[in-house]
Amino acid sequence: MSRGTWLAVMAGLTFVAAVATIAVGATSEPKPRPTPPRVYSSCLVADTKPVSADDDPCDGR
């Protein structure tokens, strides 16, 4: 096999391998993202009893 034929065969095999890799990556399903952690805060929930303005835990002071 001549050097030119050898290079052509190797280039062809490389092209086929690259196309196959791209095709497999494009058809595979994306991995699902993990569910973000839930954040619970008493400031987000309606209070069951009234709170005076001085005792408000959500005022940021």
Side-chain angles (χ1 to χ4, degrees):
M1 193 180 295
S2 70
R3 185 174 183 179
T5 305
W6 174 257
L7 289 175
V9 168
M10 292 307 291
L13 289 175
T14 302
F15 178 76
V16 169
V19 169
T21 301
I22 291 170
V24 168
T27 59
S28 65
E29 294 183 21
K31 295 180 182 177
R33 293 183 176 178
T35 305
R38 294 181 183 221
V39 177
Y40 297 98
S41 171
S42 63
C43 297
L44 301 176
V45 180
D47 292 329
T48 57
K49 59 182 180 178
V51 178
S52 71
D54 295 334
D55 295 335
D56 186 9
C58 300
D59 68 357
R61 284 191 258 165

